[in-house]
Amino acid sequence: MALDPETFDQLLETIRRFVQERLRPLEGQVEADDAIPEDVVEEMKAMGLFGLSIDPEYGGIGLTMSEEVRVAFELGGTTPAFRSTFGTNVGIGSQGVVIAGTDEQKAEWLPKMASGEAIASFALTEPDVGSDSGAVKAKAVRAKDEKGGDVYRLSGTKRYITNADKASVFTVMARTGEEVGGRGVSAFLVPRDLPGLSVGEPEKKMGQQGAKVCDVNFDDAPVPAANRLGAEGEGFKVAMQVLDRGRLHISAVCVGIADRLIADCVAYATERKQFGQALSEFQLIQAMIADSKAESMAAKALVLEAAAKKDAGERITLEAAAAKYFASEMVGRVADRAVQIHGGAGYINDYGIERFYRDVRLFRIYEGTSQIQQLIIARETIKNRG
Ligand code: COS
């Protein structure tokens, strides 16, 4: 259920001020330290950011999708690693439980995810399984534990798992049935302290410093059968539904970052003078600002329309893929123009523009590459013909 408009506007204003006044001054520090300061994480918890999408029944704020994307526009106003801190709890880490969890699973995990007491991660990708996510090789075999309880013995490796370093629970997709294809895949809620589970060292990466990705290894880990999310063989579909929603959220973050970069470009271009006039007076600079603004507005409209459709209870596989494809490519072009407008300064670390240029590159890759989004858009369009 939507918040009343006044409460929502207050929340939006609080988040806007938090982004502008608290987070933006820390961007350089986060990049240098490759870490989000602990006091900032505590403030995020107190503001309820970990529970944005979780129902108030479980201690969250319970935003609608239309509200959530408007919050994400604001969160895009700063380095995306801040959003990642609670992003998996809002999206891919919690939504499997929301979509397919039993009442017991919801009662056990959602309050801890909403408060930030538990960090939730989503473990689909593997060393040999990226875009072809129906081909997961991790195996979950039904067995009995030492006490005779029903378990699945889970073995395999998951790769590039966001927030794995801090996670207390993982949604893990593993094969329980047919040797090939999504139909043989089930989803499990796997607590971090399970014997046989280990987390690798964080990877060194191109951007989004402060947000960590690691391998997660399972060596015959006994997952209680009660931790299966949904029916056996339904895990791939759960993962796809989680991703539909996640892709829309990411699209909104892309719009927010594009707007931040456009604002930075306009500020720089009006201040900086060459040939006796401000850069903003030059039509070739104006063209870059105009293209960026028009594209960002188009992406925003796409995101808002898809969010409204989701709130109306409709499936948004096509819309989420189109939004993710367009918005992530769009912010890449905007970041490239931002470097160009800033000239030499755009290439220098101090200005933060090159940092965004590196940070936004990930949006075209994670939660489905641009090529996977194209494939989904085409499939859905062809399927819906007539
Ligand atoms: N919602 C609900 N069900 C879905 C779905 C969705 N969005 N997408 C697919 N399904 C269902 C299909 O309806 C099909 O069901 P049936 O077996 O009952 O017919 C089943 O899932 C298999 O779907 P499909 O045949 O389309 O699977 P494919 O293996 O051909 O491909 C793609 C699916 C490529 C779209 C998928 O693997 C994908 O999104 N890959 C990218 C993964 C990704 O984003 N990884 C990022 C890492 S996670 S951060």
Side-chain angles (χ1 to χ4, degrees):
M1 206 179 66
L3 294 180
D4 71 80
E6 200 180 320
T7 310
F8 180 66
D9 285 347
Q10 276 169 8
L11 175 73
L12 211 53
E13 183 53 30
T14 306
I15 292 173
R16 186 175 300 143
R17 283 194 17 222
F18 183 62
V19 166
Q20 300 302 324
E21 294 166 18
R22 180 74 173 115
L23 302 184
R24 282 183 62 155
L26 295 172
E27 289 173 355
Q29 181 190 323
V30 165
E31 167 88 353
D33 296 352
D34 192 10
I36 309 292
E38 248 335 290
D39 51 344
V40 171
V41 177
E42 291 307 314
E43 288 167 51
M44 290 169 168
K45 287 181 187 171
M47 288 171 71
L49 297 180
F50 286 83
L52 288 173
S53 63
I54 296 173
D55 201 273
E57 186 187 345
Y58 300 107
I61 298 181
L63 298 183
T64 63
M65 200 68 217
S66 300
E67 291 168 339
E68 185 182 318
V69 295
R70 289 178 64 196
V71 166
F73 295 151
E74 300 300 330
L75 297 171
T78 188
T79 189
F82 286 118
R83 187 211 62 94
S84 267
T85 308
F86 51 87
T88 52
N89 279 37
V90 172
I92 55 179
S94 68
Q95 292 305 307
V97 190
V98 171
I99 293 168
T102 60
D103 288 347
E104 291 75 28
Q105 289 167 340
K106 287 180 181 173
E108 182 179 359
W109 288 108
L110 291 180
K112 292 184 210 162
M113 291 179 189
S115 67
E117 181 194 335
I119 300 296
S121 279
F122 180 77
L124 175 64
T125 301
E126 300 180 358
D128 295 331
V129 178
S131 289
D132 185 7
S133 53
V136 291
K137 290 183 175 167
K139 264 196 181 320
V141 180
R142 268 186 179 273
K144 297 277 182 198
D145 65 10
E146 312 75 61
K147 294 178 192 143
D150 286 326
V151 295
Y152 286 86
R153 293 267 167 200
L154 178 59
S155 296
T157 298
K158 295 292 175 177
R159 181 145 291 174
Y160 309 142
I161 305 307
T162 302
N163 285 341
D165 58 318
K166 304 183 280 292
S168 3
V169 61
F170 299 88
T171 302
V172 181
M173 268 52 67
R175 192 161 292 287
T176 47
E178 295 166 31
E179 284 304 307
V180 285
R183 285 191 183 158
V185 174
S186 302
F188 298 91
L189 268 173
V190 183
R192 190 201 188 102
D193 55 11
L194 201 68
L197 187 160
S198 60
V199 176
E201 285 299 308
E203 302 285 354
K204 289 194 168 60
K205 39 190 188 47
M206 178 195 251
Q208 301 211 8
Q209 310 307 345
K212 305 280 169 64
V213 299
C214 314
D215 275 5
V216 184
N217 302 298
F218 304 95
D219 182 10
D220 223 17
V223 182
N227 287 26
R228 198 185 62 229
L229 272 179
E232 216 175 76
E234 289 292 311
F236 180 74
K237 283 185 199 172
V238 172
M240 290 301 111
Q241 285 169 270
V242 167
L243 284 171
D244 279 351
R245 199 183 171 291
R247 286 166 183 162
L248 191 52
H249 179 105
I250 295 296
S251 312
V253 175
C254 292
V255 171
I257 296 182
D259 286 349
R260 154 74 188 269
L261 287 170
I262 293 166
D264 285 359
C265 287
V266 168
Y268 185 79
T270 44
E271 206 170 279
R272 169 101 172 152
K273 291 193 170 52
Q274 290 294 287
F275 304 101
Q277 59 181 357
L279 290 187
S280 58
E281 301 290 320
F282 291 98
Q283 290 184 344
L284 291 176
I285 299 288
Q286 289 177 0
M288 287 192 272
I289 293 171
D291 285 351
S292 298
K293 185 71 183 170
E295 290 182 28
S296 159
M297 288 170 73
K300 192 176 206 168
L302 195 52
V303 168
L304 288 169
E305 190 179 308
K309 195 167 177 188
K310 169 112 180 78
D311 287 335
E314 292 182 49
R315 183 168 161 170
I316 55 155
T317 302
L318 168 63
E319 290 76 7
K324 166 78 160 56
Y325 177 46
F326 185 76
S328 63
E329 294 283 335
M330 175 281 293
V331 75
R333 291 191 292 273
V334 170
D336 188 70
R337 293 184 198 114
V339 173
Q340 198 66 18
I341 290 172
H342 283 76
Y347 200 70
I348 300 297
N349 182 268
D350 286 353
Y351 289 80
I353 298 296
E354 64 81 35
R355 189 189 66 237
F356 274 112
Y357 181 82
R358 287 182 284 108
D359 285 351
V360 302
R361 191 63 185 82
L362 184 58
F363 295 128
R364 281 186 265 169
I365 298 170
Y366 75 174
E367 296 200 22
T369 60
S370 287
Q371 290 66 34
I372 287 295
Q373 310 309 331
Q374 285 176 296
L375 182 142
I376 295 171
I377 296 163
R379 272 189 189 181
E380 292 289 315
T381 306
I382 293 164
K383 200 169 74 186
N384 296 342
R385 71 188 179 280

